[in-house]
Amino acid sequence: MSSIGPPTGMRDWLPQDALLRQHLMETIGRMYRLYGYLPIDTPVMEDLSVLLGKGGGENEKLLFKVLKRGEKLAQAKEQNKDIADYGLRFDLTVPLARFVATHQGKLPKVFRRYHIAPVWRADRPQQGRYREFYQCDIDVVGGATPDYEVEVITATERVLKELNLGKYRFRLSDKRLLPLLLSGLGASVDQLGSLTIALDKLDKHPDQVFEELRGLLAHDSDLAGKVHSFVMFAYDTWKHKTGRHERIEYFTKYWDMVTPSARRAELDAVLANLQSIMNSVLKVNPGSCIVFDPILVRGMDYYTGPVYEAVVEGYPSSILGGGRYDGLIGRFAGKPIPAVGCSIGFERILSILQERKSGQAAATVSRVLLVNDGQSRDLLQQRAEQLRNAGICIETYLEQDDPGKQFKYAEAACIKWAIESFDESTSTVTVRHLSERRDLTMSLPAFLTLLAGKAPA
Amino acid sequence: MSSIGPPTGMRDWLPQDALLRQHLMETIGRMYRLYGYLPIDTPVMEDLSVLLGKGGGENEKLLFKVLKRGEKLAQAKEQNKDIADYGLRFDLTVPLARFVATHQGKLPKVFRRYHIAPVWRADRPQQGRYREFYQCDIDVVGGATPDYEVEVITATERVLKELNLGKYRFRLSDKRLLPLLLSGLGASVDQLGSLTIALDKLDKHPDQVFEELRGLLAHDSDLAGKVHSFVMFAYDTWKHKTGRHERIEYFTKYWDMVTPSARRAELDAVLANLQSIMNSVLKVNPGSCIVFDPILVRGMDYYTGPVYEAVVEGYPSSILGGGRYDGLIGRFAGKPIPAVGCSIGFERILSILQERKSGQAAATVSRVLLVNDGQSRDLLQQRAEQLRNAGICIETYLEQDDPGKQFKYAEAACIKWAIESFDESTSTVTVRHLSERRDLTMSLPAFLTLLAGKAPA
């Protein structure tokens, strides 16, 4: 049993990582609460009928199904029926749709919520991909106007700023834009899917994209030329990353190629909506990093309007994405319900913070070791209580070991300071900086200041 | 689909309850971190072999099992093997034992951790009992001396104080005490189980207990008399609830009945250990509510020494319990590992807080509605940002409705204040107290003070 571990593709959270996860959850939650968003939660499992919807498809393969129990299991086996009744949720969107249907009467007509929780997918485990992982979804259910896009984007940029992730670009487009443009340039309906799938890789594998486009459009040199020119132009703009050129009107020559006029009018409406969102976001938050990016393809089929994602400089994949999806949330409620939201790449941000010391530090509890001087243990624990009353996280060394061994223990446990003695009458402590092997005597308030990361007063 | 809901016996968490749950988690975590305890987490599922251990028994019936997937499922069906490979954890103790085995080299030799997380049991659902519910375990793994009992009890009483649950009694006994006493009075080994099971109900159904005792001991009037006298004496002591008499020496006449002398010596060692723990707890924390209670029976088989539980005045069941269990944690590590801990009745405390307005209030986010005055929406969202920068949680009303409808919406959403206008140049707000239908104009700092629950400066 020496190699016993968690299930394949799942992780234990040791204290440092558990603290960092908590810190990230709290930071995200605090920011969205500033915007009136409140937390909800749902059970980890849902009825299979809820999870599989119509047909099931891809999701069914990834599903962890829960076996029926007792009588029902015996019956199902006997009658050759389904032996599973529940499944673990594979995202937080299906549970939200079910939640909205269940609590229809009780929710405000504009329902702002966030949900940070694990989901499960029986994917083939690989580097950085887990079968149990956290998602973090923020959504406004019932908000139909683009003002809600403005709010969600503004709130999300505040989260990015608060997390101190560094320079990022918040890319905005519309799910309808590429199909309108491409068919407006002459692509047929059945080409749209493969073209957008190809374009999705533009920022990671540009050469491959251009080759695929040539293959896909070999039969129509006029269309191929226009698409190539457009994609090349967008790619160059993107590569410059100045933000200066990433404006909708910069692409006017391509919009002008769109025919017939009805389609052009549709495209113009989509563009006007995007322009209005960008203008508002920049007015509300002049520090916004929003940019227009016509090649943005959000994979999810369920988006129906504006889509966006954020990319942090130095990291290839987006760290969050979202958009408007007016067709999904009403699925179980039996009526159309507009919705716009954002899914934060919780695990990706977590791994960025783990890489960076700043993130680690933010999540570290400043535990202090209270050295066991071999005197009365009651006195030792009394002193520990007094120090805790002053707000210090005290780990009391309760074993009988010499100080050297105690210091070693503390260093291994990532503890920075040890209190060697505490004189309550004068409120004086003698402390040791463990890695520097330096002893200091000072007042308790001075030590508190030191712990808080400031120079002693 | 109109009656769609979560799985039987499981709950959705609407915002108010989700906030309260978060508040409780944070409070508990903060208190234990003061004592050097750190959070961990494990996957919701474990290998079936881990969960079922030797034999399985009761736990197997309560287990939610996870179906194998793809190839493996097909193979298992074909070969008539087990079709499930994982199960959802039914407690946090088995995962801790597995965690300790997995990370043996990486954990400090004295490992203080807390774990607050859901567990699943396919119990018959009933009032106040769920199939998905939270547990909250605090344990010191690797601490063999009674100093750790003192620490765990002191930390836990700090949690109770911080949660403001009111008067409580922290009952202390030892798993070995009743068996030693009862056999010392003349009970046979095979009577011990049924006697302690009967005694477990003493605080809830005393009459029933005395009747059961009469039945169990009908054959031996001497033993029956002694046991009856002891239990009656303990029950009277307990009913007085003064704490004054709940001392070990108060029961001396019963200890003196114990024979033979070897057993008496064993009992005395157990009592001396308890006395030492009580003395230390009271020295370290003079406000402690610890009392000796010889009838305390903690159900779990795995306890090996001191056990304790806390009962809040006005609530029949204990709200937390724990003790020393030196035989369990080493199960997967293949060596004996001492451990002492406490399991906080998270759901029970949550329901007490839900009943009390104070608990609710502590968890409420002071959201403020920013009224949509029909002017520019960009300006509205700009103002919202400025107010958020001042630290106020602002829900902006983005629909086009008259103020009356907006106020109604806010009241229904448990929002107390609405900001009707904000003049940035003078930093002045006009606000409405919604339930009192009262409008006030004041400086933004004065409003912040008001929100913080203090009288305006």
Side-chain angles (χ1 to χ4, degrees):
Chain A
M1 282 269 203
S2 65
S3 71
I4 193 169
T8 315
M10 306 192 188
R11 287 162 294 173
D12 286 329
W13 297 79
L14 277 93
Q16 283 312 310
D17 290 331
L19 282 169
L20 187 64
R21 187 180 86 183
Q22 228 169 62
H23 165 73
L24 183 56
M25 282 181 177
E26 282 168 12
T27 306
I28 293 174
R30 190 159 37 82
M31 289 302 107
Y32 283 107
R33 285 198 300 277
L34 266 184
Y35 290 76
Y37 292 67
L38 295 177
I40 68 159
D41 201 5
T42 60
V44 299
M45 54 187 117
E46 297 281 352
D47 272 323
L48 280 181
S49 61
V50 167
L51 293 175
L52 295 174
K54 305 150 200 134
E58 263 315 294
N59 294 332
E60 177 145 20
K61 280 187 223 149
L62 299 179
L63 209 57
F64 282 101
K65 290 184 184 174
V66 175
L67 209 58
K68 287 181 180 169
R69 296 144 306 278
E71 269 300 286
K72 281 188 183 167
L73 177 61
Q75 242 174 50
K77 278 179 174 169
E78 205 173 279
Q79 300 170 7
N80 221 359
K81 279 191 189 164
D82 209 337
I83 48 174
D85 51 359
Y86 301 132
L88 297 183
R89 63 181 170 219
F90 52 82
D91 73 5
L92 301 176
T93 308
V94 173
L96 175 61
R98 201 271 306 147
F99 181 98
V100 166
T102 302
H103 305 285
Q104 274 191 81
K106 280 186 260 177
L107 303 178
K109 65 175 181 177
V110 175
F111 178 51
R112 293 166 165 95
R113 82 89 176 81
Y114 65 88
H115 192 183
I116 311 178
V119 303
W120 294 265
R121 292 184 194 169
D123 255 326
R124 192 171 301 276
Q126 47 179 293
Q127 176 66 25
R129 275 191 103 148
Y130 301 102
R131 291 179 150 196
E132 174 182 73
F133 59 98
Y134 272 74
Q135 286 201 338
C136 169
D137 279 15
I138 302 92
D139 297 273
V140 194
V141 174
T145 67
D147 298 317
Y148 294 100
E149 273 92 333
V150 174
E151 181 178 280
V152 169
I153 292 170
T154 306
T156 303
E157 288 200 69
R158 194 185 276 260
V159 171
L160 292 176
K161 199 174 146 199
E162 182 74 13
L163 289 174
N164 233 327
L165 291 174
K167 277 180 97 168
Y168 66 88
R169 289 149 52 87
F170 207 101
R171 305 160 73 193
L172 175 74
S173 186
D174 190 296
K175 184 75 182 178
R176 298 162 293 184
L177 193 149
L178 272 182
L180 281 171
L181 175 68
L182 292 171
S183 49
L185 298 181
S188 64
V189 175
D190 50 306
Q191 284 178 303
L192 294 179
S194 41
L195 284 172
T196 47
I197 289 173
L199 289 174
D200 198 15
K201 302 185 283 261
L202 187 64
D203 39 353
K204 284 185 201 153
H205 309 288
D207 294 343
Q208 194 187 328
V209 171
F210 287 110
E211 202 184 304
E212 279 184 35
L213 287 179
R214 268 190 296 276
L216 286 164
L217 300 171
H219 65 288
D220 183 339
S221 66
D222 176 53
L223 174 60
K226 286 173 179 169
V227 170
H228 182 86
S229 162
F230 164 71
V231 175
M232 188 57 98
F233 188 77
Y235 180 65
D236 277 350
T237 308
W238 176 81
K239 268 211 311 189
H240 282 116
K241 290 182 181 178
T242 58
R244 203 162 43 88
H245 292 130
E246 294 159 319
R247 289 200 299 257
I248 293 169
E249 69 267 27
Y250 192 52
F251 294 86
T252 303
K253 63 176 162 184
Y254 299 102
W255 314 146
D256 284 346
M257 294 179 193
V258 168
T259 57
S261 60
R263 186 177 285 126
R264 172 65 195 270
E266 244 186 287
L267 177 66
D268 281 346
V270 165
L271 293 172
N273 187 44
L274 288 181
Q275 189 64 63
S276 149
I277 291 173
M278 288 185 79
N279 291 348
S280 294
V281 165
L282 286 163
K283 254 188 224 157
V284 172
N285 170 22
S288 167
C289 297
I290 197 163
V291 293
F292 171 66
D293 184 342
I295 306 286
L296 175 62
V297 179
R298 294 288 307 163
M300 298 299 162
D301 280 339
Y302 54 71
Y303 289 117
T304 57
V307 289
Y308 33 81
E309 62 179 38
V311 184
V312 169
E313 213 173 86
Y315 296 88
S317 312
S318 66
I319 54 157
L320 61 85
R324 175 166 290 283
Y325 56 109
D326 287 345
L328 193 69
I329 292 298
R331 187 173 131 194
F332 301 114
K335 62 179 181 191
I337 299 178
V340 58
C342 182
S343 190
I344 293 196
F346 190 87
E347 299 278 356
R348 202 158 293 165
I349 294 179
L350 202 59
S351 71
I352 294 178
L353 294 178
Q354 276 164 332
E355 272 176 53
R356 297 188 188 171
K357 282 198 175 157
S358 60
Q360 287 285 12
T364 301
V365 174
S366 308
R367 272 178 311 158
V368 172
L369 186 82
L370 179 60
V371 173
N372 186 346
D373 57 5
Q375 305 286 313
S376 143
R377 244 88 50 87
D378 286 353
L379 197 61
L380 189 70
Q381 296 218 42
Q382 269 175 18
R383 280 202 222 106
E385 279 297 285
Q386 289 155 355
L387 292 162
R388 286 176 192 126
N389 290 340
I392 308 179
C393 294
I394 292 288
E395 177 163 340
T396 314
Y397 199 92
L398 290 171
E399 304 290 304
Q400 293 291 54
D401 289 314
D402 62 60
K405 206 168 167 191
Q406 298 187 39
F407 295 150
K408 240 183 224 163
Y409 165 86
E411 273 201 82
C414 298
I415 293 176
K416 203 165 155 188
W417 293 94
I419 297 182
E420 296 171 286
S421 71
F422 169 46
D423 182 340
E424 199 208 346
S425 62
T426 60
S427 199
T428 306
V429 286
T430 299
V431 297
R432 183 184 186 83
H433 190 287
L434 290 163
S435 63
E436 297 176 5
R437 285 157 180 67
R438 192 159 45 93
D439 294 334
L440 299 163
T441 298
M442 64 183 88
S443 73
L444 185 57
F447 183 55
L448 283 168
T449 312
L450 199 62
L451 280 182
K454 303 157 206 154
Chain B
M1 282 268 202
S2 65
S3 71
I4 193 169
T8 315
M10 305 191 188
R11 287 162 295 173
D12 286 329
W13 297 79
L14 278 94
Q16 283 312 310
D17 290 331
L19 282 168
L20 188 64
R21 187 180 86 183
Q22 227 168 63
H23 165 73
L24 183 56
M25 282 181 176
E26 282 168 13
T27 306
I28 293 174
R30 189 159 38 81
M31 289 302 107
Y32 283 106
R33 285 198 300 276
L34 266 184
Y35 290 75
Y37 292 67
L38 295 177
I40 67 159
D41 201 5
T42 60
V44 299
M45 53 187 118
E46 297 280 353
D47 272 324
L48 280 181
S49 62
V50 168
L51 293 175
L52 295 174
K54 305 149 200 136
E58 263 315 294
N59 294 331
E60 177 145 19
K61 280 187 223 151
L62 299 180
L63 209 57
F64 283 100
K65 290 184 184 173
V66 175
L67 210 58
K68 287 180 180 170
R69 296 143 306 278
E71 269 300 287
K72 281 188 183 169
L73 178 61
Q75 241 173 49
K77 278 181 172 167
E78 205 172 278
Q79 301 171 7
N80 220 1
K81 279 191 189 164
D82 209 338
I83 49 174
D85 51 359
Y86 301 133
L88 297 184
R89 63 181 170 219
F90 52 81
D91 73 5
L92 301 177
T93 308
V94 173
L96 174 61
R98 201 271 305 146
F99 181 98
V100 166
T102 302
H103 305 285
Q104 274 191 81
K106 280 187 259 175
L107 304 178
K109 65 175 180 176
V110 175
F111 178 51
R112 292 166 165 96
R113 83 90 176 78
Y114 65 88
H115 192 183
I116 311 178
V119 303
W120 294 265
R121 292 183 194 169
D123 255 327
R124 192 171 300 276
Q126 47 178 294
Q127 176 66 24
R129 275 190 103 148
Y130 302 103
R131 291 179 151 196
E132 175 182 73
F133 59 98
Y134 272 74
Q135 286 200 337
C136 169
D137 280 15
I138 303 92
D139 297 273
V140 194
V141 174
T145 68
D147 297 318
Y148 294 100
E149 274 91 333
V150 175
E151 181 177 280
V152 168
I153 292 170
T154 306
T156 303
E157 288 200 70
R158 193 185 277 260
V159 171
L160 291 176
K161 199 174 147 198
E162 182 75 12
L163 289 174
N164 233 326
L165 292 174
K167 277 179 96 169
Y168 66 88
R169 288 148 53 86
F170 207 101
R171 305 160 74 193
L172 175 74
S173 186
D174 190 295
K175 184 75 182 179
R176 298 162 293 183
L177 192 148
L178 272 182
L180 281 171
L181 175 69
L182 292 170
S183 49
L185 298 181
S188 65
V189 174
D190 50 306
Q191 284 179 303
L192 293 179
S194 41
L195 284 172
T196 47
I197 288 173
L199 289 174
D200 198 14
K201 302 185 282 263
L202 187 64
D203 39 353
K204 283 185 202 153
H205 309 289
D207 294 342
Q208 195 187 328
V209 171
F210 287 109
E211 202 184 304
E212 279 184 36
L213 288 179
R214 269 190 296 275
L216 286 164
L217 301 171
H219 64 290
D220 183 339
S221 66
D222 176 55
L223 174 61
K226 286 174 179 168
V227 170
H228 182 86
S229 162
F230 164 71
V231 175
M232 188 56 99
F233 188 76
Y235 180 65
D236 276 350
T237 308
W238 176 81
K239 268 211 311 189
H240 282 116
K241 291 182 181 177
T242 57
R244 204 162 43 88
H245 293 129
E246 293 159 320
R247 290 199 298 256
I248 292 169
E249 70 267 27
Y250 193 52
F251 294 86
T252 303
K253 63 176 163 185
Y254 299 102
W255 314 146
D256 284 345
M257 293 179 194
V258 168
T259 57
S261 60
R263 185 177 286 127
R264 173 64 195 269
E266 244 186 286
L267 177 65
D268 281 347
V270 165
L271 293 172
N273 187 44
L274 288 181
Q275 188 65 63
S276 149
I277 291 173
M278 288 184 79
N279 291 348
S280 294
V281 165
L282 286 163
K283 255 189 222 154
V284 172
N285 171 21
S288 167
C289 297
I290 197 163
V291 293
F292 171 65
D293 185 341
I295 306 285
L296 175 62
V297 180
R298 294 288 307 162
M300 298 299 163
D301 281 340
Y302 54 72
Y303 289 117
T304 57
V307 288
Y308 34 80
E309 62 179 39
V311 184
V312 169
E313 213 173 84
Y315 296 88
S317 312
S318 66
I319 54 159
L320 60 85
R324 175 166 290 283
Y325 55 109
D326 288 345
L328 193 69
I329 292 298
R331 188 173 130 194
F332 301 114
K335 62 180 181 190
I337 299 178
V340 57
C342 182
S343 190
I344 293 196
F346 190 86
E347 299 279 356
R348 203 157 293 165
I349 294 179
L350 202 58
S351 72
I352 293 178
L353 294 178
Q354 276 164 332
E355 273 176 54
R356 297 188 188 171
K357 282 198 175 157
S358 60
Q360 288 285 12
T364 301
V365 174
S366 309
R367 272 179 311 158
V368 172
L369 186 83
L370 179 60
V371 173
N372 186 345
D373 57 5
Q375 304 288 311
S376 143
R377 243 88 49 87
D378 286 353
L379 198 61
L380 189 70
Q381 295 218 43
Q382 269 175 19
R383 280 202 222 106
E385 279 296 285
Q386 288 155 356
L387 292 162
R388 286 174 193 127
N389 290 340
I392 308 178
C393 294
I394 291 288
E395 177 162 340
T396 314
Y397 199 93
L398 289 170
E399 304 290 303
Q400 293 291 53
D401 289 314
D402 61 61
K405 206 167 168 192
Q406 298 187 40
F407 295 150
K408 240 183 226 164
Y409 165 87
E411 273 202 82
C414 298
I415 293 176
K416 203 166 155 187
W417 293 94
I419 297 181
E420 296 171 287
S421 71
F422 169 46
D423 182 340
E424 199 208 346
S425 62
T426 60
S427 199
T428 306
V429 286
T430 300
V431 297
R432 183 183 186 83
H433 189 287
L434 290 163
S435 62
E436 297 176 5
R437 285 157 180 67
R438 193 159 45 94
D439 294 333
L440 299 163
T441 298
M442 64 184 89
S443 73
L444 184 56
F447 183 55
L448 283 169
T449 312
L450 199 62
L451 280 182
K454 303 159 206 153

